[in-house]
Amino acid sequence: MSEPHGNRIVVVGGGVAGLEIATALGRRGRRRQAGEAASVVLVDRDSVHVWKPMLHTIAAGTSDVSQQQTAYAAQARDAGFVYQPGELCGLDRARRSVRIAALLASDGRVMIPERCLAYDILVLAVGSEANDFGIPGVRQHCHMIDSRAQADAFSREIRVRMMQCLGQDARLDIAIVGGGATGVELAAELVHLTHAAVAYGARELERRIGITLVERDARLLASFPQDISEATRARLESLGVNVRISTGVVAARADGLALEDGGFVPASLLVWAAGVKAPDFLAHLDGLETNRSHQLLVRPTLQTTRDPAVYAVGDCASLVPAGAGRPLPPTAQVAHQQARHLIRHLPGALRGTPVPPFRFRDFGSMVSLADYDAFASLGKFGFFEGGTLRGRLAQFSHVMLYRRHQSRLHGFWRGSLLWLVDCLNSRLRPSIRLD
Ligand SMILES: Cc1cc2nc3c(=O)[nH]c(=O)nc-3n(C[C@H](O)[C@H](O)[C@H](O)COP(=O)(O)OP(=O)(O)OC[C@H]3O[C@@H](n4cnc5c(N)ncnc54)[C@H](O)[C@@H]3O)c2cc1C
Protein backbone atom coordinates (compact mmCIF):
# COMPACT_ATOMS: atom_id res chain seq x y z
CA MET A 1 0.00 0.00 0.00
CA SER A 2 1.53 3.36 -1.06
CA GLU A 3 1.83 6.54 1.03
CA PRO A 4 -1.00 9.06 0.47
CA HIS A 5 -0.80 12.09 -1.89
CA GLY A 6 -3.89 14.33 -1.93
CA ASN A 7 -5.63 16.73 0.36
CA ARG A 8 -8.61 14.93 1.91
CA ILE A 9 -8.38 14.09 5.61
CA VAL A 10 -11.33 12.23 7.13
CA VAL A 11 -11.43 11.98 10.94
CA VAL A 12 -13.89 9.47 12.40
CA GLY A 13 -14.84 10.18 16.03
CA GLY A 14 -15.12 13.70 17.43
CA GLY A 15 -13.97 13.00 20.98
CA VAL A 16 -10.95 14.24 22.92
CA ALA A 17 -8.54 13.40 20.05
CA GLY A 18 -10.72 13.62 16.94
CA LEU A 19 -12.35 16.99 17.61
CA GLU A 20 -9.01 18.58 18.51
CA ILE A 21 -7.53 17.30 15.22
CA ALA A 22 -10.47 18.45 13.06
CA THR A 23 -10.57 21.85 14.78
CA ALA A 24 -6.84 22.59 14.49
CA LEU A 25 -6.48 21.33 10.91
CA GLY A 26 -9.69 23.08 9.86
CA ARG A 27 -8.39 26.39 11.26
CA ARG A 28 -5.00 25.89 9.67
CA GLY A 29 -6.68 25.16 6.31
CA ARG A 30 -8.62 28.40 6.54
CA ARG A 31 -5.44 30.42 6.90
CA ARG A 32 -3.92 28.84 3.75
CA GLN A 33 -4.67 29.62 0.09
CA ALA A 34 -7.48 27.56 -1.41
CA GLY A 35 -5.88 24.64 -3.24
CA GLU A 36 -2.97 24.39 -0.74
CA ALA A 37 -5.14 23.54 2.24
CA ALA A 38 -6.27 20.10 3.37
CA SER A 39 -10.01 19.54 3.29
CA VAL A 40 -11.04 18.12 6.65
CA VAL A 41 -14.19 16.09 7.28
CA LEU A 42 -15.24 14.97 10.77
CA VAL A 43 -17.65 12.05 11.15
CA ASP A 44 -19.40 11.40 14.47
CA ARG A 45 -22.48 9.35 15.35
CA ASP A 46 -23.59 11.99 17.86
CA SER A 47 -24.57 15.60 17.12
CA VAL A 48 -22.67 17.11 20.04
CA HIS A 49 -19.32 16.61 21.73
CA VAL A 50 -19.03 16.18 25.49
CA TRP A 51 -15.63 15.85 27.17
CA LYS A 52 -15.77 12.21 28.25
CA PRO A 53 -13.93 12.57 31.60
CA MET A 54 -16.90 14.59 32.87
CA LEU A 55 -19.54 11.95 32.06
CA HIS A 56 -19.72 10.77 35.68
CA THR A 57 -20.82 14.28 36.74
CA ILE A 58 -23.51 14.26 34.04
CA ALA A 59 -24.57 10.79 35.22
CA ALA A 60 -24.87 12.03 38.80
CA GLY A 61 -26.69 15.20 37.69
CA THR A 62 -24.07 17.43 39.29
CA SER A 63 -23.20 18.96 35.86
CA ASP A 64 -25.75 20.13 33.36
CA VAL A 65 -25.04 18.43 30.04
CA SER A 66 -26.75 21.19 28.04
CA GLN A 67 -24.12 23.67 29.28
CA GLN A 68 -21.14 21.42 28.62
CA GLN A 69 -21.71 20.27 25.06
CA THR A 70 -20.28 21.53 21.79
CA ALA A 71 -22.48 21.09 18.72
CA TYR A 72 -20.40 19.62 15.89
CA ALA A 73 -22.23 21.69 13.25
CA ALA A 74 -21.38 24.96 15.05
CA GLN A 75 -17.79 23.87 15.69
CA ALA A 76 -17.42 22.94 12.00
CA ARG A 77 -18.56 26.41 10.95
CA ASP A 78 -16.25 28.15 13.45
CA ALA A 79 -13.17 26.05 12.73
CA GLY A 80 -13.56 25.45 8.99
CA PHE A 81 -14.10 21.70 8.68
CA VAL A 82 -17.04 19.72 7.33
CA TYR A 83 -19.19 17.71 9.75
CA GLN A 84 -20.83 14.49 8.52
CA PRO A 85 -23.27 13.03 11.08
CA GLY A 86 -23.48 9.24 11.20
CA GLU A 87 -21.81 6.04 12.27
CA LEU A 88 -18.84 4.51 10.50
CA CYS A 89 -20.01 1.12 9.23
CA GLY A 90 -17.43 0.10 6.63
CA LEU A 91 -14.01 0.72 5.14
CA ASP A 92 -12.67 -0.02 1.66
CA ARG A 93 -8.92 0.47 1.91
CA ALA A 94 -8.28 -0.30 -1.76
CA ARG A 95 -10.62 2.52 -2.83
CA ARG A 96 -9.70 4.72 0.15
CA SER A 97 -13.28 5.25 1.16
CA VAL A 98 -15.33 4.93 4.34
CA ARG A 99 -19.02 4.00 4.51
CA ILE A 100 -21.27 5.98 6.85
CA ALA A 101 -24.57 4.39 7.90
CA ALA A 102 -27.87 6.11 7.12
CA LEU A 103 -28.89 8.62 9.76
CA LEU A 104 -32.34 7.80 11.11
CA ALA A 105 -34.86 9.93 13.00
CA SER A 106 -36.22 8.54 16.29
CA ASP A 107 -39.28 7.20 14.39
CA GLY A 108 -37.07 5.33 11.92
CA ARG A 109 -37.36 7.71 8.95
CA VAL A 110 -34.17 8.16 6.96
CA MET A 111 -32.81 11.68 7.39
CA ILE A 112 -29.52 11.17 5.52
CA PRO A 113 -29.01 8.02 3.44
CA GLU A 114 -25.94 5.81 3.66
CA ARG A 115 -22.97 7.47 1.98
CA CYS A 116 -19.31 6.91 1.14
CA LEU A 117 -16.55 9.43 1.77
CA ALA A 118 -13.24 9.34 -0.06
CA TYR A 119 -10.05 10.06 1.87
CA ASP A 120 -6.33 10.42 1.29
CA ILE A 121 -5.65 10.12 5.01
CA LEU A 122 -8.09 8.48 7.43
CA VAL A 123 -7.82 9.05 11.19
CA LEU A 124 -9.77 6.64 13.39
CA ALA A 125 -10.52 8.11 16.83
CA VAL A 126 -13.64 6.21 17.86
CA GLY A 127 -12.72 5.81 21.55
CA SER A 128 -13.66 2.88 23.77
CA GLU A 129 -16.56 1.35 25.65
CA ALA A 130 -16.97 -0.62 28.87
CA ASN A 131 -15.70 -4.18 28.78
CA ASP A 132 -18.10 -6.64 30.39
CA PHE A 133 -15.54 -9.49 30.01
CA GLY A 134 -18.49 -11.77 29.12
CA ILE A 135 -19.68 -11.82 32.76
CA PRO A 136 -23.30 -13.00 32.90
CA GLY A 137 -25.96 -10.38 33.56
CA VAL A 138 -23.76 -7.31 33.07
CA ARG A 139 -25.33 -6.18 29.77
CA GLN A 140 -28.88 -6.75 31.10
CA HIS A 141 -28.60 -5.27 34.58
CA CYS A 142 -25.75 -2.75 34.70
CA HIS A 143 -25.64 0.85 33.56
CA MET A 144 -22.51 1.97 31.74
CA ILE A 145 -21.23 5.52 31.56
CA ASP A 146 -19.45 5.59 28.19
CA SER A 147 -21.47 8.10 26.22
CA ARG A 148 -23.62 11.18 26.71
CA ALA A 149 -26.75 9.07 26.11
CA GLN A 150 -25.75 6.49 28.73
CA ALA A 151 -24.80 9.15 31.29
CA ASP A 152 -28.10 10.91 30.68
CA ALA A 153 -30.05 7.63 31.00
CA PHE A 154 -28.38 6.94 34.36
CA SER A 155 -29.10 10.48 35.51
CA ARG A 156 -32.81 10.06 34.70
CA GLU A 157 -32.91 6.67 36.41
CA ILE A 158 -31.25 7.80 39.62
CA ARG A 159 -33.64 10.75 39.95
CA VAL A 160 -36.61 8.37 39.61
CA ARG A 161 -35.06 6.02 42.19
CA MET A 162 -34.40 8.87 44.61
CA MET A 163 -38.01 10.02 44.33
CA GLN A 164 -39.20 6.45 44.96
CA CYS A 165 -36.84 6.22 47.89
CA LEU A 166 -38.41 9.35 49.37
CA GLY A 167 -42.02 8.70 48.36
CA GLN A 168 -42.16 4.99 49.19
CA ASP A 169 -40.00 4.96 52.28
CA ALA A 170 -37.60 2.53 50.54
CA ARG A 171 -33.84 1.99 50.47
CA LEU A 172 -31.70 2.72 47.43
CA ASP A 173 -28.57 0.58 47.25
CA ILE A 174 -26.17 1.43 44.44
CA ALA A 175 -23.22 -0.81 43.50
CA ILE A 176 -20.39 0.34 41.24
CA VAL A 177 -18.04 -2.27 39.79
CA GLY A 178 -14.51 -1.08 39.07
CA GLY A 179 -12.17 0.83 41.36
CA GLY A 180 -10.37 2.71 38.60
CA ALA A 181 -10.71 6.47 38.12
CA THR A 182 -14.23 6.22 36.62
CA GLY A 183 -15.68 4.10 39.46
CA VAL A 184 -13.96 6.10 42.19
CA GLU A 185 -15.00 9.47 40.73
CA LEU A 186 -18.58 8.29 40.19
CA ALA A 187 -18.86 7.02 43.79
CA ALA A 188 -17.73 10.42 45.13
CA GLU A 189 -20.06 12.27 42.76
CA LEU A 190 -23.04 10.17 43.98
CA VAL A 191 -22.17 11.11 47.56
CA HIS A 192 -22.11 14.74 46.41
CA LEU A 193 -25.55 14.26 44.79
CA THR A 194 -26.93 12.80 48.03
CA HIS A 195 -25.50 15.61 50.16
CA ALA A 196 -26.91 18.24 47.77
CA ALA A 197 -30.35 16.55 47.81
CA VAL A 198 -30.24 16.52 51.62
CA ALA A 199 -29.44 20.24 51.56
CA TYR A 200 -32.56 20.76 49.38
CA GLY A 201 -34.66 19.18 52.13
CA ALA A 202 -34.59 15.45 51.32
CA ARG A 203 -33.02 14.60 54.70
CA GLU A 204 -34.11 10.94 54.76
CA LEU A 205 -31.91 10.19 51.75
CA GLU A 206 -28.72 10.33 53.79
CA ARG A 207 -29.57 7.14 55.71
CA ARG A 208 -31.54 5.42 52.93
CA ILE A 209 -28.92 5.55 50.15
CA GLY A 210 -26.02 3.11 50.28
CA ILE A 211 -23.09 3.11 47.83
CA THR A 212 -20.76 0.12 47.44
CA LEU A 213 -17.64 0.12 45.26
CA VAL A 214 -16.30 -3.31 44.25
CA GLU A 215 -12.74 -3.82 42.95
CA ARG A 216 -11.09 -7.11 42.02
CA ASP A 217 -7.55 -5.80 42.59
CA ALA A 218 -6.04 -5.53 46.07
CA ARG A 219 -6.32 -1.73 45.93
CA LEU A 220 -8.29 1.06 44.27
CA LEU A 221 -6.64 3.05 41.44
CA ALA A 222 -4.13 0.32 40.60
CA SER A 223 -2.29 2.59 38.12
CA PHE A 224 -1.63 5.25 40.78
CA PRO A 225 1.03 5.13 43.53
CA GLN A 226 0.10 3.08 46.61
CA ASP A 227 -0.23 6.13 48.92
CA ILE A 228 -2.84 7.70 46.61
CA SER A 229 -4.79 4.41 46.48
CA GLU A 230 -4.85 4.22 50.26
CA ALA A 231 -5.74 7.88 50.78
CA THR A 232 -8.55 7.60 48.20
CA ARG A 233 -9.99 4.54 49.91
CA ALA A 234 -9.84 6.22 53.31
CA ARG A 235 -11.53 9.36 51.95
CA LEU A 236 -14.32 7.39 50.22
CA GLU A 237 -14.94 5.39 53.39
CA SER A 238 -15.09 8.58 55.42
CA LEU A 239 -17.80 9.73 53.00
CA GLY A 240 -19.79 6.57 53.75
CA VAL A 241 -18.90 4.52 50.65
CA ASN A 242 -18.58 0.79 51.34
CA VAL A 243 -15.33 -0.21 49.55
CA ARG A 244 -14.82 -3.92 48.82
CA ILE A 245 -11.44 -4.84 47.34
CA SER A 246 -9.77 -8.13 46.32
CA THR A 247 -13.00 -9.63 45.06
CA GLY A 248 -14.28 -9.91 41.51
CA VAL A 249 -17.86 -10.01 40.29
CA VAL A 250 -18.98 -13.33 38.78
CA ALA A 251 -22.54 -12.34 37.89
CA ALA A 252 -24.81 -9.31 37.90
CA ARG A 253 -28.47 -9.81 38.81
CA ALA A 254 -31.48 -7.54 39.10
CA ASP A 255 -31.04 -7.59 42.90
CA GLY A 256 -27.26 -7.21 43.12
CA LEU A 257 -23.82 -8.63 42.44
CA ALA A 258 -22.56 -12.16 43.04
CA LEU A 259 -18.89 -12.11 44.07
CA GLU A 260 -16.16 -14.68 43.43
CA ASP A 261 -15.52 -15.06 47.17
CA GLY A 262 -19.10 -16.32 47.53
CA GLY A 263 -20.41 -13.01 48.87
CA PHE A 264 -23.32 -11.00 47.51
CA VAL A 265 -23.75 -7.22 47.30
CA PRO A 266 -27.47 -6.39 47.36
CA ALA A 267 -28.21 -3.40 45.12
CA SER A 268 -31.02 -2.31 42.84
CA LEU A 269 -28.96 0.14 40.78
CA LEU A 270 -25.76 -1.25 39.25
CA VAL A 271 -23.00 0.52 37.33
CA TRP A 272 -20.27 -1.27 35.38
CA ALA A 273 -16.97 0.61 35.14
CA ALA A 274 -14.49 -2.25 35.23
CA GLY A 275 -12.22 -1.72 32.24
CA VAL A 276 -12.59 -0.71 28.62
CA LYS A 277 -12.24 -2.17 25.15
CA ALA A 278 -12.36 -0.62 21.70
CA PRO A 279 -15.62 -0.96 19.71
CA ASP A 280 -16.12 -4.50 18.33
CA PHE A 281 -16.51 -3.38 14.70
CA LEU A 282 -12.79 -2.47 14.54
CA ALA A 283 -11.93 -6.19 14.60
CA HIS A 284 -13.61 -6.56 11.18
CA LEU A 285 -12.57 -3.30 9.53
CA ASP A 286 -11.17 -4.41 6.18
CA GLY A 287 -8.35 -6.44 7.70
CA LEU A 288 -6.77 -3.81 9.96
CA GLU A 289 -4.78 -5.48 12.74
CA THR A 290 -6.32 -5.43 16.24
CA ASN A 291 -5.51 -6.87 19.67
CA ARG A 292 -7.76 -8.83 22.06
CA SER A 293 -9.43 -5.60 23.21
CA HIS A 294 -10.19 -4.76 19.56
CA GLN A 295 -7.79 -1.81 19.61
CA LEU A 296 -6.07 -1.06 16.32
CA LEU A 297 -2.35 -1.81 16.45
CA VAL A 298 -0.34 1.22 15.39
CA ARG A 299 3.30 1.90 14.60
CA PRO A 300 5.21 4.62 16.48
CA THR A 301 4.07 7.03 13.71
CA LEU A 302 0.43 6.27 14.72
CA GLN A 303 -0.16 4.65 11.31
CA THR A 304 -1.99 1.34 11.54
CA THR A 305 0.32 -1.62 11.04
CA ARG A 306 -1.30 -2.72 7.76
CA ASP A 307 -2.10 0.59 6.07
CA PRO A 308 0.00 3.79 6.16
CA ALA A 309 -2.97 5.88 4.98
CA VAL A 310 -5.00 4.90 8.06
CA TYR A 311 -4.01 6.38 11.43
CA ALA A 312 -5.53 5.52 14.82
CA VAL A 313 -5.35 7.60 18.00
CA GLY A 314 -6.73 7.66 21.54
CA ASP A 315 -8.50 4.79 23.28
CA CYS A 316 -9.11 2.83 20.06
CA ALA A 317 -5.38 2.56 19.30
CA SER A 318 -2.74 0.36 20.91
CA LEU A 319 0.83 1.61 20.89
CA VAL A 320 3.61 -0.05 22.87
CA PRO A 321 6.36 2.58 23.20
CA ALA A 322 9.91 1.41 22.48
CA GLY A 323 11.37 -0.22 25.60
CA ALA A 324 8.02 -0.26 27.44
CA GLY A 325 6.49 -3.59 28.33
CA ARG A 326 2.89 -2.52 27.85
CA PRO A 327 0.74 -0.25 25.71
CA LEU A 328 -0.09 3.34 26.57
CA PRO A 329 -3.16 3.60 28.82
CA PRO A 330 -6.57 4.74 27.50
CA THR A 331 -6.54 8.26 28.94
CA ALA A 332 -7.43 11.75 27.77
CA GLN A 333 -3.78 12.74 28.20
CA VAL A 334 -2.61 10.12 25.67
CA ALA A 335 -5.48 10.99 23.27
CA HIS A 336 -4.62 14.69 23.41
CA GLN A 337 -0.86 14.21 22.89
CA GLN A 338 -1.47 11.87 19.94
CA ALA A 339 -3.89 14.42 18.46
CA ARG A 340 -1.24 17.13 18.81
CA HIS A 341 1.30 14.92 17.02
CA LEU A 342 -1.01 14.41 14.04
CA ILE A 343 -2.03 18.09 13.96
CA ARG A 344 1.65 18.91 13.55
CA HIS A 345 2.54 16.23 11.01
CA LEU A 346 -0.51 15.32 8.88
CA PRO A 347 -0.24 18.36 6.55
CA GLY A 348 3.31 17.23 5.72
CA ALA A 349 2.18 13.60 5.38
CA LEU A 350 -0.29 14.69 2.67
CA ARG A 351 2.69 16.00 0.68
CA GLY A 352 4.60 12.76 1.22
CA THR A 353 6.81 13.82 4.19
CA PRO A 354 7.22 10.89 6.62
CA VAL A 355 5.59 11.30 10.04
CA PRO A 356 8.16 11.10 12.88
CA PRO A 357 7.56 8.68 15.76
CA PHE A 358 5.20 9.80 18.53
CA ARG A 359 6.72 10.11 22.01
CA PHE A 360 4.42 10.10 25.01
CA ARG A 361 5.32 12.47 27.85
CA ASP A 362 3.82 11.28 31.09
CA PHE A 363 2.63 14.30 33.06
CA GLY A 364 0.96 12.07 35.64
CA SER A 365 -2.61 11.11 36.53
CA MET A 366 -5.34 12.79 38.50
CA VAL A 367 -8.47 11.70 40.25
CA SER A 368 -11.12 14.00 41.66
CA LEU A 369 -13.49 13.06 44.50
CA ALA A 370 -16.18 15.61 43.62
CA ASP A 371 -15.85 18.70 45.85
CA TYR A 372 -14.35 16.67 48.69
CA ASP A 373 -10.77 16.02 47.60
CA ALA A 374 -8.47 15.28 44.67
CA PHE A 375 -5.19 13.48 44.18
CA ALA A 376 -2.56 13.76 41.48
CA SER A 377 0.54 11.72 40.83
CA LEU A 378 3.00 13.82 38.88
CA GLY A 379 4.65 11.95 36.01
CA LYS A 380 8.18 11.76 34.66
CA PHE A 381 7.92 15.17 33.02
CA GLY A 382 7.28 18.52 34.59
CA PHE A 383 8.71 20.46 37.50
CA PHE A 384 7.73 18.21 40.44
CA GLU A 385 8.77 14.94 38.80
CA GLY A 386 7.27 11.87 40.46
CA GLY A 387 5.64 13.80 43.34
CA THR A 388 2.04 13.75 44.49
CA LEU A 389 -0.52 16.50 45.04
CA ARG A 390 -3.64 16.51 47.17
CA GLY A 391 -6.54 18.83 47.86
CA ARG A 392 -7.25 22.19 46.21
CA LEU A 393 -4.12 22.23 44.03
CA ALA A 394 -4.88 18.74 42.68
CA GLN A 395 -8.53 19.75 42.18
CA PHE A 396 -7.46 22.84 40.26
CA SER A 397 -5.11 20.75 38.07
CA HIS A 398 -8.01 18.40 37.32
CA VAL A 399 -10.27 21.32 36.35
CA MET A 400 -7.51 22.68 34.10
CA LEU A 401 -7.49 19.45 32.05
CA TYR A 402 -10.99 20.30 30.86
CA ARG A 403 -10.45 24.04 30.56
CA ARG A 404 -7.38 23.51 28.37
CA HIS A 405 -9.40 21.20 26.12
CA GLN A 406 -12.11 23.87 25.86
CA SER A 407 -9.60 26.54 24.96
CA ARG A 408 -8.11 24.30 22.25
CA LEU A 409 -11.58 23.93 20.76
CA HIS A 410 -12.85 27.48 21.16
CA GLY A 411 -9.73 29.62 21.49
CA PHE A 412 -8.40 31.31 24.64
CA TRP A 413 -11.00 34.11 24.95
CA ARG A 414 -14.10 32.06 24.18
CA GLY A 415 -12.81 29.22 26.37
CA SER A 416 -12.27 31.69 29.23
CA LEU A 417 -15.75 33.16 28.74
CA LEU A 418 -17.28 29.68 28.88
CA TRP A 419 -15.42 29.09 32.16
CA LEU A 420 -16.72 32.39 33.52
CA VAL A 421 -20.29 31.45 32.52
CA ASP A 422 -19.89 28.11 34.34
CA CYS A 423 -18.67 29.95 37.46
CA LEU A 424 -21.68 32.28 37.30
CA ASN A 425 -24.08 29.38 36.73
CA SER A 426 -22.65 27.54 39.73
CA ARG A 427 -23.70 30.57 41.86
CA LEU A 428 -27.06 31.17 40.16
CA ARG A 429 -28.44 27.69 39.47
CA PRO A 430 -29.15 24.65 41.68
CA SER A 431 -26.05 22.51 42.20
CA ILE A 432 -27.83 19.34 41.03
CA ARG A 433 -30.49 18.57 38.42
CA LEU A 434 -33.91 19.02 40.00
CA ASP A 435 -36.06 18.67 36.83
C1 LIG B 1 -16.42 8.69 33.47
C2 LIG B 1 -15.03 8.79 32.87
C3 LIG B 1 -14.06 9.55 33.52
C4 LIG B 1 -12.78 9.66 32.95
N1 LIG B 1 -11.85 10.42 33.59
C5 LIG B 1 -10.62 10.60 33.03
C6 LIG B 1 -9.66 11.45 33.65
O1 LIG B 1 -9.90 12.01 34.72
N2 LIG B 1 -8.45 11.61 33.03
C7 LIG B 1 -8.16 10.99 31.83
O2 LIG B 1 -7.06 11.19 31.28
N3 LIG B 1 -9.06 10.19 31.22
C8 LIG B 1 -10.27 9.97 31.79
N4 LIG B 1 -11.20 9.16 31.17
C9 LIG B 1 -10.82 8.49 29.91
C10 LIG B 1 -10.95 9.47 28.74
O3 LIG B 1 -12.25 10.00 28.71
C11 LIG B 1 -10.65 8.77 27.42
O4 LIG B 1 -9.36 8.22 27.50
C12 LIG B 1 -10.69 9.76 26.25
O5 LIG B 1 -11.99 10.31 26.11
C13 LIG B 1 -10.32 9.05 24.94
O6 LIG B 1 -10.43 9.98 23.90
P1 LIG B 1 -10.75 9.46 22.42
O7 LIG B 1 -10.65 10.66 21.55
O8 LIG B 1 -9.93 8.28 22.11
O9 LIG B 1 -12.26 8.94 22.48
P2 LIG B 1 -13.59 9.64 22.97
O10 LIG B 1 -13.32 10.90 23.66
O11 LIG B 1 -14.36 8.58 23.68
O12 LIG B 1 -14.35 9.98 21.59
C14 LIG B 1 -14.79 8.96 20.72
C15 LIG B 1 -15.77 9.59 19.74
O13 LIG B 1 -16.03 8.65 18.69
C16 LIG B 1 -17.42 8.65 18.38
N5 LIG B 1 -17.71 7.35 17.78
C17 LIG B 1 -17.59 6.13 18.35
N6 LIG B 1 -17.90 5.16 17.45
C18 LIG B 1 -18.20 5.78 16.30
C19 LIG B 1 -18.58 5.31 15.00
N7 LIG B 1 -18.71 4.00 14.69
N8 LIG B 1 -18.81 6.23 14.03
C20 LIG B 1 -18.71 7.57 14.30
N9 LIG B 1 -18.35 8.05 15.51
C21 LIG B 1 -18.09 7.17 16.49
C22 LIG B 1 -18.09 8.91 19.73
O14 LIG B 1 -19.40 9.45 19.56
C23 LIG B 1 -17.13 9.92 20.36
O15 LIG B 1 -17.49 11.25 20.04
C24 LIG B 1 -12.48 9.01 31.72
C25 LIG B 1 -13.48 8.25 31.08
C26 LIG B 1 -14.73 8.13 31.64
C27 LIG B 1 -15.79 7.32 30.93
Side-chain angles (χ1 to χ4, degrees), residues 158-190:
I158 196 163
R159 279 177 287 138
V160 169
R161 299 296 188 93
M162 285 170 84
M163 289 305 279
Q164 287 177 330
C165 183
L166 282 173
Q168 299 175 11
D169 208 3
R171 267 196 72 76
L172 172 55
D173 287 303
I174 306 167
I176 302 167
V177 185
T182 305
V184 160
E185 291 187 342
L186 179 65
E189 215 58 52
L190 293 179

Side-chain angles (χ1 to χ4, degrees), residues 27 403 406-421:
R27 288 209 176 108
R403 296 302 169 186
Q406 273 197 318
S407 100
R408 286 190 286 270
L409 296 187
H410 305 295
F412 175 76
W413 292 112
R414 258 181 86 188
S416 304
L417 276 178
L418 286 167
W419 192 357
L420 178 66
V421 169

